[in-house]
Amino acid sequence: MKKRVLSVFLVLCFVLTLLPTAFADSSTSGKCGDNLTWTLDGDGTLTISGTGKMWDSDYYNDYDVPWADFLASIEKVVISKGVTSIGNEAFKWCERLTNVTIPDSITSIGNSAFYDCSSLTSVTIPDSVTSIGEWAFYGCSSLTSVTIPHGVTSIGGAAFWGCSSLTSVTIGNSVTSIGEWAFSDCSSLTSITIPNSVSKISYGTFECCENLKSVTIPTSVKSIDGRAFSLCDSLSDIYYKGTASQWKAVKVEAFNNPLKNATIHYVPNVPALSITTSAGKPKIYWNAVDGAAKYWVYRSTDGKKFSYYDSTTKTSYTNNSTSIGTTYYYKVKAVAVVDGKDYASDYSVIRSIQCKPAAPSVSINRSNGKPKLSWKAVSGAAKYWIYRSTDGKNFSYWDSTTKTSYINSGAKKNTKYYYKVKAVCASNSNANSAQSSAVSIKATK
């Protein structure tokens, strides 16, 4: 019996002597780029530090990702600022990964970078990213929302295929290319807006999005490839940002019956907004938009919080209810009316202007041979500044008055004088009117 116990003990000692060697090839730190290192802590946090590109990996080449032995342990990924790319297949099959931090130094997300990361619930893609590779988030079945920022120009094929929990997708207006099958089988997706930088909806892009109900398509789209909306059996409404004749010109390939059977709503294009003043009041104006029955005006005093202000059927709007010295911000939507329902465009660009008094309208005659200026009272003006010139070109400040007339009693006989007048705001010295038009007369006494 003693011999048997001794034998077991010796075997255990022998095994223990081998353990350090076995773990030597499974280090929890190392290199993952020419100037990048990685470490994995006991809480399952993988941290990547350094500068430059991450190495690409390849499943068909023994899946040589540096942390391949710990895929089941990685729960969080922190990529430090300075790293410029996420390599191909970098976190493929990290099925316990729930959270990833991507810094604004990253410019590209490689092919299959987060392939089958089925526990990943959210991801924030920074504006620095310009491309998202093929299969990048394939099978991320817990991902509920994603925003493609304005820096991204291309979304690779099958990038979000099988993201079955995805309910919200926002695509930035810099995206020009969306690859085949990019959002295929996103069964929880209910609506999508194609950005106005895209000219083609590729083959199978939204196939099997069985709960997709509405799609907004801009006039930039000239063709829709086969199967793009195949098996999207809930698709009922297409909001097209153009006219019926423009939609008719869009080339729609085969196996897109849900698209062809949906109701088309013709949504107006965005108005091109400009701003000026009229009698001292902000006046906005824009181009007539095809299909628009009216326009909604939105106003703000801080440029951030806008609220609906008014509606008009014209292509200009003067805001009479304003305060001198206040800066007002405006944006406009064009609105089509189809079967009694309003369909509004996106917001126009924002235009702003400071509300100033109107320039006085000045007349001139003589009083006792001296130049006499007259004008009507200007709303918001506390006083008026007089400018004078003897050559009609070089004007300088001359005098001030709170009245609506002024006699230049110091004018020299037989000398011609030119005058301009400015209305001066009581509450804000930076909100004075422009100078009036010049008037002139010769003093006779």
Side-chain angles (χ1 to χ4, degrees):
M1 180 66 180
K2 291 182 178 179
K3 290 182 178 180
R4 183 180 298 173
V5 171
L6 181 61
S7 298
V8 170
F9 176 75
L10 291 172
V11 169
L12 288 174
C13 289
F14 177 73
V15 170
L16 288 174
T17 60
L18 294 177
L19 285 178
T21 303
F23 283 119
D25 294 329
S26 300
S27 174
T28 55
S29 64
K31 293 192 69 174
C32 55
D34 292 346
N35 296 298
L36 300 181
T37 58
W38 66 276
T39 57
L40 179 64
D41 66 21
D43 294 326
T45 299
L46 176 67
T47 302
I48 298 171
S49 306
T51 58
K53 294 182 178 181
M54 193 183 301
W55 286 332
D56 290 328
S57 299
D58 184 1
Y59 169 75
Y60 294 104
N61 185 24
D62 296 326
Y63 192 41
D64 55 350
V65 65
W67 40 84
D69 292 331
F70 304 101
L71 298 183
S73 301
I74 298 172
E75 298 183 13
K76 181 179 180 180
V77 170
V78 177
I79 303 173
S80 302
K81 188 174 178 64
V83 181
T84 59
S85 71
I86 297 176
N88 293 346
E89 304 188 10
F91 309 108
K92 187 175 184 178
W93 296 321
C94 290
E95 295 181 354
R96 297 182 64 188
L97 177 63
T98 61
N99 182 274
V100 59
T101 301
I102 303 176
D104 60 9
S105 56
I106 295 290
T107 60
S108 63
I109 298 175
N111 297 340
S112 301
F114 295 93
Y115 187 105
D116 253 350
C117 292
S118 56
S119 297
L120 186 64
T121 57
S122 65
V123 62
T124 300
I125 302 173
D127 288 340
S128 57
V129 172
T130 60
S131 63
I132 298 173
E134 296 180 351
W135 309 90
F137 294 91
Y138 172 89
C140 291
S141 55
S142 296
L143 192 64
T144 58
S145 66
V146 66
T147 297
I148 312 297
H150 292 297
V152 173
T153 59
S154 64
I155 301 173
F160 295 91
W161 188 345
C163 292
S164 55
S165 297
L166 197 61
T167 59
S168 173
V169 175
T170 302
I171 305 177
N173 282 327
S174 294
V175 172
T176 58
S177 173
I178 301 176
E180 297 180 353
W181 316 102
F183 296 95
S184 178
D185 206 20
C186 291
S187 55
S188 296
L189 192 63
T190 58
S191 66
I192 191 73
T193 297
I194 307 297
N196 57 19
S197 49
V198 170
S199 61
K200 180 179 74 170
I201 300 177
S202 298
Y203 189 90
T205 300
F206 299 101
E207 184 170 52
C208 293
C209 291
E210 59 189 36
N211 287 302
L212 185 64
K213 293 181 174 66
S214 67
V215 179
T216 300
I217 300 176
T219 55
S220 60
V221 171
K222 306 303 180 186
S223 63
I224 298 174
D225 285 355
R227 310 190 76 91
F229 294 95
S230 175
L231 302 176
C232 294
D233 295 333
S234 297
L235 187 59
S236 58
D237 297 282
I238 301 298
Y239 297 93
Y240 181 65
K241 295 183 177 181
T243 64
S245 59
Q246 287 174 306
W247 175 250
K248 190 176 180 180
V250 176
K251 185 178 181 181
V252 181
E253 298 287 358
F255 303 106
N256 278 303
N257 287 340
L259 177 71
K260 295 177 181 179
N261 293 333
T263 300
I264 308 296
H265 308 281
Y266 299 103
V267 180
N269 287 320
V270 176
L273 189 64
S274 299
I275 194 166
T276 185
T277 56
S278 176
K281 301 295 184 180
K283 179 181 179 181
I284 52 176
Y285 57 98
W286 53 89
N287 59 301
V289 174
D290 287 345
K294 56 187 174 182
Y295 303 89
W296 288 342
V297 177
Y298 296 78
R299 193 180 82 166
S300 169
T301 53
D302 63 4
K304 297 176 182 178
K305 298 177 181 178
F306 284 82
S307 57
Y308 170 82
Y309 188 75
D310 209 346
S311 178
T312 181
T313 58
K314 301 177 180 179
T315 56
S316 65
Y317 182 84
T318 300
N319 188 187
N320 291 312
S321 299
T322 54
S323 299
I324 299 296
T326 301
T327 298
Y328 293 92
Y329 302 79
Y330 300 90
K331 52 186 179 181
V332 173
K333 285 184 175 182
V335 184
V337 180
V338 181
D339 296 330
K341 293 180 66 175
D342 292 333
Y343 296 97
S345 72
D346 292 334
Y347 288 111
S348 70
V349 297
I350 297 169
R351 300 297 185 195
S352 64
I353 201 165
Q354 187 181 52
C355 200
K356 299 180 179 182
S361 180
V362 181
S363 60
I364 193 166
N365 56 23
R366 296 185 188 88
S367 175
N368 252 351
K370 301 296 184 181
K372 180 182 179 181
L373 312 177
S374 301
W375 58 89
K376 291 182 179 180
V378 174
S379 176
K383 56 185 176 181
Y384 304 90
W385 288 342
I386 315 299
Y387 295 81
R388 194 178 81 166
S389 169
T390 54
D391 62 6
K393 298 177 182 178
N394 300 304
F395 287 82
S396 57
Y397 172 81
W398 176 254
D399 207 347
S400 177
T401 182
T402 57
K403 299 178 180 180
T404 56
S405 64
Y406 180 81
I407 298 173
N408 188 188
S409 57
K412 295 180 180 179
K413 182 180 178 180
N414 295 326
T415 301
K416 186 175 182 179
Y417 292 94
Y418 301 80
Y419 300 90
K420 293 181 179 181
V421 179
K422 178 183 286 191
V424 180
C425 178
S427 60
N428 188 337
S429 61
N430 293 321
N432 301 331
S433 79
Q435 292 179 344
S436 69
S437 298
V439 293
S440 62
I441 202 168
K442 181 185 288 186
T444 58
K445 289 187 179 179

